[in-house]
Amino acid sequence: MNKSSTESILILDFGSQVTQLIARRLRESGVYCEIVPYFKAEEALAGSRPNGVILSGGPSSATQSDTPRAPQSLFDMGIPVLGICYGQQAMCEQLGGRVEASDHQEFGRAFVDINDDCAMFEGLWQTDQRHQVWMSHGDRVMEIPPGFRVVGTSDNCPFAIIADDVRNFYGVQFHPEVIHTPDGTALLRNFTHNVAGCKGSWSMATFRHEAEARVKAQVGDGKVICGLSGGVDSSVVAILLHEAIGDQLTCVFVDHGLLREGEAEEVVSLFKEHYNLSLVHRDASDLFLDKLAGVSDPEQKRKIIGATFIDVFEEEANRIGGADFLAQGTLYPDVIESISPSGGPSATIKSHHNVGGLPDRMNMELVEPLRELFKDEVRDLGRTLGLPESLVGRHPFPGPGLAIRCPGEISADKLAILRQADAIYLDEIRKAGLYDAIWQAFAAILPVRTVGVMGDQRTYDYICALRAVTSTDGMTADYYPFDHEFLGRTATRIINEVRGINRVVYDVTSKPPGTIELE
């Protein structure tokens, strides 16, 4: 376990889709933590002694002998353990309890009754109170192990909360990490601070100094190339490395012609002129458009863009010459997904993040200073480094750029129409003071044309779709409820100011943030 602080919590991942939320909640309270898949737990525990361990939920059934388990040695280490949902069930099975499949399943909102005091509830929940939680289980504990006592029940779960006060082992059948358990964050904080003894001293300022020191130690006198896209991740990497190693860094900005309006000029102005970074700007927009000509399949678009980007980037890297390291903005979710129990090992998780390593022909070593951070933490680091809020708070913009917001074949004309519409949409959002309340907003141009009447003439133009979603945790999302006045004003501007669009629609689908790109 790679500790970035003198105190830490280890989270064993059994495959829950919300395991990352546990880590986010802990980090928000100033406690450094890491997620490791259950099959790497022994290795992680052998490398260090965390203040406590959390066993996550998961899709498996603890009633089966071949499903994931924690290392048995964990329970003899004398450190606090919290089991959540499947984690509670696995702990009970391993310590002498019993789990059974149940006809009384609980999915969604439920209520637990507090039967007794517990360190997990200190200063929060009192005996004989009822509290809302979020359940998601079919199996349930039917017999608790020796040494445990029941401290909370629900209508369908007789052992909703259990505790072994001597060994500091705790189990909850519900999910405290999701926002649907209102007191969940405070419960996790009680475990980390009151039970595991963490002081909550981890901060982004601490991380910044540690990251800069690690970069200096890794790079030494070597030269580093950084692929700069203008997005939050690569921008933070570039400035962090610039602070750490100065002129040893060269940034390469490949303009693939699929950026938002004015974005290429902004990148060059900010990093080359304001920060005085060594920046190579390659305008390859014509090359990318040639490669994408006639292609409508979204996955084929992604592959073409990714492969062409690598080719262009390597050309520029070879021109520069002599680089020993390649810096990129790999984030913690990329690392987790590459070794997750559900996804299995993967050489590349995202088109621009080679989590499994670089091709041999590049003959460079990776520098990944953000690989311990979540997206919101990267934004905080950017603020610590002094990056402007207009960049740090920018909505996510996936690597393929406007290509996935232009379904069907791509052309320079369609991209120009889309840029204009998108710029107007975002301008109206900013004017309404809504930009920071929305997780991601963008316009898309649909691959259909409709007949319309504008003035005294018929038109045959494209439909523009607008999308805006909110997200509090980066794991789930819902559409933003614009009022009709805003939508009417925005649609009117787009139709009046953008030639080529004669109809505007608003998309009210709710999707996870990871899939909210149009294609």
Side-chain angles (χ1 to χ4, degrees), residues 72-144:
Q72 198 66 33
S73 59
L74 165 64
F75 303 109
D76 298 322
M77 292 181 66
I79 58 177
V81 178
L82 169 62
I84 295 175
C85 197
Y86 176 84
Q88 181 208 41
Q89 297 169 6
M91 180 169 63
C92 286
E93 279 285 336
Q94 291 183 248
L95 295 177
R98 182 168 56 88
V99 178
E100 290 184 357
S102 172
D103 295 330
H104 302 287
Q105 300 177 348
E106 285 184 303
F107 294 96
R109 181 182 300 163
F111 293 88
V112 294
D113 295 304
I114 307 305
N115 306 329
D116 207 347
D117 292 332
C118 172
M120 287 279 292
F121 309 152
E122 188 175 333
L124 188 65
W125 288 355
Q126 305 295 323
T127 304
D128 298 327
Q129 288 184 344
R130 168 169 276 210
H131 294 275
Q132 179 185 315
V133 297
W134 189 260
M135 294 280 192
S136 180
H137 68 98
D139 299 345
R140 64 179 181 178
V141 176
M142 297 303 296
E143 182 180 334
I144 57 177

Side-chain angles (χ1 to χ4, degrees), residues 253-273:
F253 170 44
V254 177
D255 180 359
H256 49 39
L258 302 167
L259 298 171
R260 291 168 287 204
E261 189 172 90
E263 197 162 22
E265 293 79 7
E266 289 175 10
V267 171
V268 174
S269 173
L270 179 63
F271 291 95
K272 192 169 187 176
E273 298 172 15

Side-chain angles (χ1 to χ4, degrees), residues 229 254-260 263 288-289 292 297-309 349-353 396-407 410 415 418-419 440 514 517-519:
S229 69
V254 177
D255 180 359
H256 49 39
L258 302 167
L259 298 171
R260 291 168 287 204
E263 197 162 22
F288 278 83
L289 282 176
L292 290 166
D297 179 75
E299 286 308 310
Q300 192 177 354
K301 287 181 189 176
R302 291 174 187 272
K303 290 176 181 177
I304 289 171
I305 293 167
T308 307
F309 179 88
I349 302 308
K350 305 210 174 163
S351 60
H352 59 303
H353 289 160
F397 190 61
L402 297 180
I404 55 172
R405 298 175 182 181
C406 187
I410 297 173
L415 289 175
L418 179 55
R419 280 194 188 91
Q440 185 183 50
E517 301 120 351
L518 195 68
E519 296 183 323

Side-chain angles (χ1 to χ4, degrees), residues 312-367:
V312 174
F313 185 86
E314 283 194 76
E315 284 179 18
E316 297 304 322
N318 290 334
R319 284 195 183 97
I320 296 168
D324 308 288
F325 300 90
L326 172 65
Q328 63 181 24
T330 306
L331 303 190
Y332 199 36
D334 304 323
V335 178
I336 295 167
E337 290 165 15
S338 71
I339 55 174
S340 69
S342 53
S346 174
T348 56
I349 302 308
K350 305 210 174 163
S351 60
H352 59 303
H353 289 160
N354 301 290
V355 181
L358 293 170
D360 291 339
R361 68 176 186 274
M362 295 191 74
N363 196 30
M364 286 190 282
E365 182 181 330
L366 278 175
V367 177

Side-chain angles (χ1 to χ4, degrees), residues 207-219:
F207 178 88
R208 172 189 173 178
H209 295 307
E210 292 176 348
E212 289 179 0
R214 284 196 298 269
V215 166
K216 290 177 182 177
Q218 180 185 4
V219 170

Side-chain angles (χ1 to χ4, degrees), residues 26-327:
L26 268 56
R27 299 235 186 132
E28 287 165 3
S29 68
V31 175
Y32 181 75
C33 59
E34 289 188 8
I35 299 173
V36 297
Y38 66 91
F39 52 81
K40 289 183 174 290
E42 288 197 59
E43 177 185 341
L45 289 168
S48 68
R49 182 183 176 85
N51 292 62
V53 172
I54 294 179
L55 311 179
S56 84
S60 303
S61 172
T63 62
Q64 301 173 14
S65 59
D66 60 346
T67 50
R69 295 291 188 269
Q72 198 66 33
S73 59
L74 165 64
F75 303 109
D76 298 322
M77 292 181 66
I79 58 177
V81 178
L82 169 62
I84 295 175
C85 197
Y86 176 84
Q88 181 208 41
Q89 297 169 6
M91 180 169 63
C92 286
E93 279 285 336
Q94 291 183 248
L95 295 177
R98 182 168 56 88
V99 178
E100 290 184 357
S102 172
D103 295 330
H104 302 287
Q105 300 177 348
E106 285 184 303
F107 294 96
R109 181 182 300 163
F111 293 88
V112 294
D113 295 304
I114 307 305
N115 306 329
D116 207 347
D117 292 332
C118 172
M120 287 279 292
F121 309 152
E122 188 175 333
L124 188 65
W125 288 355
Q126 305 295 323
T127 304
D128 298 327
Q129 288 184 344
R130 168 169 276 210
H131 294 275
Q132 179 185 315
V133 297
W134 189 260
M135 294 280 192
S136 180
H137 68 98
D139 299 345
R140 64 179 181 178
V141 176
M142 297 303 296
E143 182 180 334
I144 57 177
F148 281 82
R149 62 190 178 94
V150 181
V151 293
T153 61
S154 71
D155 292 341
N156 292 319
C157 190
F159 303 106
I161 310 170
I162 59 175
D164 180 333
D165 307 283
V166 175
R167 292 181 290 182
N168 279 326
F169 293 167
Y170 300 87
V172 296
Q173 185 58 71
F174 58 88
H175 287 273
E177 67 273 27
V178 300
I179 60 172
H180 307 84
T181 299
D183 296 323
T185 299
L187 288 171
L188 290 172
R189 191 182 192 283
N190 273 354
F191 175 75
T192 57
H193 290 65
N194 296 346
V195 177
C198 296
K199 295 182 176 61
S201 57
W202 188 76
S203 69
M204 197 49 61
T206 302
F207 178 88
R208 172 189 173 178
H209 295 307
E210 292 176 348
E212 289 179 0
R214 284 196 298 269
V215 166
K216 290 177 182 177
Q218 180 185 4
V219 170
D221 297 327
K223 291 176 62 177
V224 182
I225 289 181
C226 174
L228 180 62
S229 69
V232 176
D233 305 339
S234 66
S235 298
V236 172
V237 168
I239 297 303
L240 179 70
L241 265 62
H242 184 61
E243 293 284 322
I245 59 174
D247 293 341
Q248 294 170 246
L249 171 69
T250 300
C251 292
V252 176
F253 170 44
V254 177
D255 180 359
H256 49 39
L258 302 167
L259 298 171
R260 291 168 287 204
E261 189 172 90
E263 197 162 22
E265 293 79 7
E266 289 175 10
V267 171
V268 174
S269 173
L270 179 63
F271 291 95
K272 192 169 187 176
E273 298 172 15
H274 180 75
Y275 283 105
N276 198 31
L277 267 72
S278 175
L279 176 66
V280 174
H281 175 205
R282 168 75 180 274
D283 184 354
S285 52
D286 289 341
L287 173 64
F288 278 83
L289 282 176
D290 287 344
K291 296 277 188 180
L292 290 166
V295 178
S296 58
D297 179 75
E299 286 308 310
Q300 192 177 354
K301 287 181 189 176
R302 291 174 187 272
K303 290 176 181 177
I304 289 171
I305 293 167
T308 307
F309 179 88
I310 291 172
D311 290 342
V312 174
F313 185 86
E314 283 194 76
E315 284 179 18
E316 297 304 322
N318 290 334
R319 284 195 183 97
I320 296 168
D324 308 288
F325 300 90
L326 172 65

